[in-house]
Amino acid sequence: MVRDNIIRIRKELPPEVKLVAVSKFHPCEQIMEAYDAGQRVFGENRPQEFAAKVPLLPEDIEWHFIGHLQTNKLRLVLPYASMVESIDSCHLLDAVENWGELNDRTTDVLLELHLGAEETKGGFTEAEIEGILAREYPHVRFRGLMGMATNTDDDSVVEADFARIAAFKQRIDDRFRLPGFTELSIGMSHDWHLALRHGATIVRIGTSIFGPRNY
Ligand SMILES: *Cc1c(COP(=O)(O)O)cnc(C)c1O
């Protein structure tokens, strides 16, 4: 089943769009099913679970960390993550920079833009992101933006969120011209088709690949 889901989604995705298979709450056997279907990029959102899974799985997996990250958990995540998609505070960003300096490592990150109506959702304002990009973080490589649209069945609301983050990405590109700031990570199981229309370069899909999660 996982295999069929991967193949079906991959067929619909343009080849240049990266599929992150979000495997949180799912066991390694299911991850291996996706791996055996050719999937190599996986996303996890809880540091402990992430650190437990990584050593059990093939080394050529590209891991994206996509969840809220507390600064006291960096050592569980940063040594193994190819990208942290969910940088959502200056406190966290400073900590990632400091960790990189101490460990002589540069971390690829996306900055999370607060999208949608939910106040509970994390992320920066546009002004905060512009402030960050104007500063120097020698051990951080800014690779683009991440956003989660409003959780609603109303496509027009979701599309408005995606249009806003896409327009903001364009403004940043025009203003800062950062080499490597190429990624727009938008789109999950229920809205990735809409995200493609707004220039998604990364989609993060869990449920449509692995089925529902048992929290
Ligand atoms: C869980 C999660 C996803 C995947 O959600 P699905 O609806 O299961 O596809 C994507 N992005 C983030 C940040 C997540 O936490």
Side-chain angles (χ1 to χ4, degrees):
M1 191 194 85
V2 168
R3 179 188 181 80
D4 297 340
N5 293 340
I6 293 275
I7 290 169
R8 178 173 39 79
I9 292 167
R10 196 63 264 178
K11 215 178 277 173
E12 285 184 62
L13 282 177
E16 68 276 11
V17 173
K18 180 169 278 191
L19 170 61
V20 177
V22 177
S23 49
K24 63 192 187 194
F25 295 92
H26 294 290
C28 291
E29 296 75 56
Q30 293 219 310
I31 297 177
M32 281 312 296
E33 261 193 72
Y35 182 91
D36 289 337
Q39 181 66 26
R40 289 294 180 272
V41 189
F42 291 86
E44 289 280 339
N45 76 335
R46 298 187 301 173
Q48 239 97 24
E49 177 182 349
F50 175 63
K53 282 173 170 173
V54 167
L56 304 175
L57 289 158
E59 274 187 36
D60 64 342
I61 287 181
E62 177 183 327
W63 292 104
H64 287 214
F65 193 81
I66 62 169
H68 183 62
L69 184 53
Q70 287 174 308
T71 54
N72 61 353
K73 303 275 169 62
L74 295 187
R75 80 202 139 73
L76 296 177
V77 171
L78 298 187
Y80 317 107
S82 302
M83 183 180 280
V84 178
E85 295 203 15
S86 44
I87 299 289
D88 57 2
S89 74
C90 286
H91 177 63
L92 173 59
L93 184 56
D94 289 343
V96 172
E97 167 59 29
N98 287 337
W99 185 92
E101 188 175 358
L102 282 173
N103 293 278
D104 196 21
R105 285 275 292 265
T106 302
T107 304
D108 278 24
V109 306
L110 304 182
L111 297 170
E112 182 174 354
L113 178 66
H114 179 94
L115 280 181
E118 296 96 341
E119 279 303 321
T120 51
K121 216 177 260 171
F124 293 109
T125 65
E126 295 181 8
E128 285 169 334
I129 288 178
E130 290 182 278
I132 288 166
L133 294 177
R135 295 196 285 275
E136 294 286 332
Y137 295 87
H139 299 86
V140 174
R141 213 176 287 118
F142 295 110
R143 299 297 317 281
L145 299 176
M146 190 271 255
M148 291 169 83
T150 308
N151 189 5
T152 171
D153 292 333
D154 186 342
D155 282 1
S156 68
V157 173
V158 174
E159 290 222 51
D161 286 341
F162 288 157
R164 180 159 82 80
I165 192 171
F168 180 54
K169 169 85 169 44
Q170 186 61 55
R171 273 212 309 289
I172 290 175
D173 290 345
D174 293 344
R175 176 174 164 197
F176 293 97
R177 302 196 177 284
L178 295 170
F181 196 87
T182 50
E183 306 299 339
L184 185 58
S185 179
I186 50 175
M188 304 165 46
S189 287
H190 62 285
D191 59 15
W192 64 271
H193 287 96
L194 299 178
L196 290 183
R197 286 199 228 150
H198 294 275
T201 66
I202 297 176
V203 292
R204 310 175 309 270
I205 301 182
T207 308
S208 293
I209 293 173
F210 297 107
R213 291 177 285 272
N214 301 309
Y215 291 103

